[in-house]
Amino acid sequence: MSASSENTLYPTVGQMSLDFTGDDPAAPRAVPMVDLTHEHLKEILDIWVAAGWLRSVDRAVARLMVRAVPTITPWAVLALVFASHQAGQGHVCLDLAVCLADPDNLLKMPPKDSAWAIWRQRIARADALDINQNPLRPAQFLQGVTLSDWLVVLDGCPKIIGRATGFTAYSSHEDGENESDDGATPFIRDGARLYLRRYWQQEQTVARQLRQRVQPATHLPESGLIRPILDALFPANPAVSDEPDWQKIACAVAIRHQFALITGGPGTGKTTTVVKFLILTQLLALSAGLSPKRIRLCAPTGKAAARLRQSLLSQIDTLVAPFAQVYPELRAALPDTVETVHRLIGIRPDQIQAHYHAGAPLPADVVVMDEASMIGLELMANTLAALDSETQLIMLGDKDQLASVEPGAVLGALSKAAAMHPGAYAPTTAEWIFDVTGTVVAVNPTQSPLAEATVWLRHSHRFNPASPIAKLAHDVNTGDAASALALLTAQGESPSAIRLLRDDPTRSQLRAAVLAALGPWLQLAATPWSSARSEHDSIDDWALAVFAAHQQAQVLCALRNGAYGVVGLNAWIEHLLQQAGLIAPARTPGGWYAGRPIIVTRNDAALRLANGDVGLTLPYIDPDINLDTPTPPPQLRVAFLSDATAGTGSPAVRWMSPNRLVAVETAFALTVHKAQGSEFTHSILVLPAVPNPVLTRELIYTAITRARSAFTLVVAAQDSSLNVLRQGVLRQVKQSGQLGELLQN
């Protein structure tokens, strides 16, 4: 392709034009399928990129495909661009049928966010486009296109788009014959779904691996050995004697399969269940005279890993105590550490392949993965590839929380596939559950193998089902916007477990909420350990007290950008805290000051820091100096909670120089995504002033369930009708792909 023709195909913004007709400038003429040209398509793509509707990388897909196959049709290019765009939105594929039925909502175009508003203002100021005119929307662009026509167009590009039959992909050649695919095509069409090849392969691989693992184990311990242990771990509770103990059932199901899924809402005891399962596993091995099982625990983020470890250590000694006399080696056989999934299987940014893979499996007999809702398709595929076929994998998670920001909502797909008859099992499994637990469960002879390996925990130990937080979370989770709004408005601004704050133009309500939430821990952080040593024996003890105070409250945002996004809100909070005298202005070139909370934004193997780790900037004094003599002024250090093994004498806190930290951000406010896997006594969710596709039912539910005791919702002054909340509750994330279907069939 010549330079001149390329300039024609990829014009600058100044060369663009739109064909508006009629009285409504927002209703451009639909483009008939036969009339679309590369020149027109490129004009539209450039406008979409400039407007923030598409990423530059999505437009680059179009360029690459046209250069690779100059004869490719514009409508095929459009589908490939949309597939790339969907991957950027966290979807593993483009569902062509849904795209034709409701393209604007599926593609989130226009995005209705701040970037789009800013672009419209810039264009208006430059008089390049009338402010009342919008770029052509996908719904207008695709008007009149049929699925059959689109599929024919895609199948006419065999060098770029392969076809799938089962786990084998093939290319459709011009003569109509199908040949085995050599893996060279960058895209795969599977029915009415268009995939980037890598995601199709990963989805097929995960489905194949899980189908093999959900089958019952061939060699199971005698039920007579399991029942006494489970009875000791789960003593009967007369108060709930009529209800099945689903935690106990979960242990029975997990011991029966190489793969088990334990899912439930906040406080339903997922961690307690898995600790008891690990005790059961090791007791069965020790009682048989075998070596203890090699157990590894992991979570998607450093924060989630630290929380799992804390929960584990808080329970394990108590649960082991009844067995310690007969099996004194039991405690040492149980893990004390929790790793990130990336660290577990050895994924590093500078390596193409994980350290552990199919040719070099992870040395482990049991792997437990917590907070599985944050696991994307690629990480799941890499994890399964790293496990030996005999390694048990136990996944824990809340299916209703936010999914991974990476493509593929694995836990959501698995839960949906297993949810046809929750709590019912095939006759042989029901008989097994009765033999080892004494519990009668519902029977469903047609239950799928995945459902056989799934247990849904129901009873929350964190919230009373009648509590305001539990009720609000339920209303949001079920999409009952009217009930959620009624509950919030009934509570008003009076003290309660849930509270609605209607901000005003001066932000007085938000200001009061932030100062009340952050003031206590900042006052503690501002007092050096040398002044507080009468209450804390060591500087680490003092830092742990600051961390405990910090966990009492957290400000959460739905968005990253904008005045009510995490970037704008953190800057505003810093200014507010300086005015209130709670923090001093930054006194270092890097913007560091005592009391600055930070979050790590990129894995750093050298510093043993993971994306999502939270640190607190504190005044540090060397604990070895003599505090009774004049000492130099404290130095700023960032404290991180240590992941060191308990009982080794290692410090509970790691101190680092701020100069060593490069990939960090201020974290007075966090996005809900970054807060996932954490708990706070009080969570404060700040909503944007206008609706946004990012604000979904799952995001709001996740924010609410971060709270242990109190939840506050702050709405902008411009949203007096609570329309932003209403639309968010009604907007549910649509899962893409066919992982669930592959496991059901």
Side-chain angles (χ1 to χ4, degrees), residues 350-373:
D350 58 344
Q351 294 178 332
I352 297 176
Q353 187 178 46
H355 181 75
Y356 295 108
H357 49 82
L362 177 75
D365 300 305
V366 180
V367 171
V368 176
M369 180 187 291
D370 195 19
E371 294 291 350
S373 63

Side-chain angles (χ1 to χ4, degrees), residues 263-544:
T263 183
T268 51
K270 297 183 290 294
T271 304
T272 300
T273 301
V274 82
V275 173
K276 293 183 178 182
F277 166 75
L278 297 179
I279 293 174
L280 169 65
T281 297
Q282 295 297 39
L283 284 174
L284 290 173
L286 295 173
S287 64
L290 303 175
S291 299
K293 295 289 184 72
R294 299 167 298 174
I295 298 172
R296 306 289 289 272
L297 308 179
C298 64
T301 67
K303 185 184 296 185
R307 181 165 166 247
L308 174 59
R309 179 175 179 270
Q310 181 183 23
S311 180
L312 173 80
L313 295 179
S314 68
Q315 303 179 64
I316 199 165
D317 290 335
T318 301
L319 294 173
V320 164
F323 309 97
Q325 186 172 357
V326 178
Y327 297 101
E329 67 272 48
L330 175 60
R331 178 62 186 89
L334 296 169
D336 285 322
T337 59
V338 184
E339 304 164 273
T340 64
V341 181
H342 288 79
R343 187 175 297 167
L344 175 73
I345 63 177
I347 294 179
R348 295 187 177 183
D350 58 344
Q351 294 178 332
I352 297 176
Q353 187 178 46
H355 181 75
Y356 295 108
H357 49 82
L362 177 75
D365 300 305
V366 180
V367 171
V368 176
M369 180 187 291
D370 195 19
E371 294 291 350
S373 63
M374 291 188 276
I375 299 292
L377 184 63
E378 183 172 13
L379 186 55
M380 187 68 187
N382 285 332
T383 301
L384 289 170
L387 302 184
D388 184 84
S389 61
E390 298 300 315
T391 300
Q392 278 187 296
L393 175 62
I394 313 298
M395 291 181 68
L396 312 174
D398 183 349
K399 66 180 179 62
D400 298 314
Q401 286 188 24
L402 280 168
S404 165
V405 295
E406 302 298 327
V410 174
L411 181 64
L414 298 183
S415 300
K416 185 176 181 180
M420 297 301 293
H421 301 284
Y425 297 90
T428 54
T429 304
E431 182 179 356
W432 162 268
I433 291 173
F434 178 77
D435 288 344
V436 300
T437 69
T439 304
V440 176
V441 296
V443 176
N444 175 23
T446 62
Q447 194 67 291
S448 70
L450 176 62
E452 290 277 281
T454 302
V455 177
W456 308 74
L457 302 183
R458 295 157 170 79
H459 179 69
S460 176
H461 301 275
R462 187 188 307 174
F463 308 126
N464 183 309
S467 71
I469 291 180
K471 180 67 168 62
L472 181 61
H474 177 269
D475 289 345
V476 169
N477 194 29
T478 56
D480 191 343
S483 180
L485 267 63
L487 183 60
L488 281 163
T489 53
Q491 297 295 330
E493 298 178 8
S494 60
S496 172
I498 61 173
R499 190 166 59 136
L500 173 66
L501 291 183
R502 299 176 184 270
D503 208 17
D504 55 62
T506 66
R507 289 190 171 185
S508 62
Q509 294 290 332
L510 181 57
R511 179 184 294 106
V514 167
L515 291 175
L518 305 184
W521 81 263
L522 286 171
Q523 290 173 347
L524 185 59
T527 306
W529 168 61
S530 57
S531 302
R533 55 180 171 148
S534 60
E535 301 176 31
H536 306 287
D537 293 335
S538 70
I539 193 168
D540 282 5
D541 289 339
W542 169 74
L544 289 173

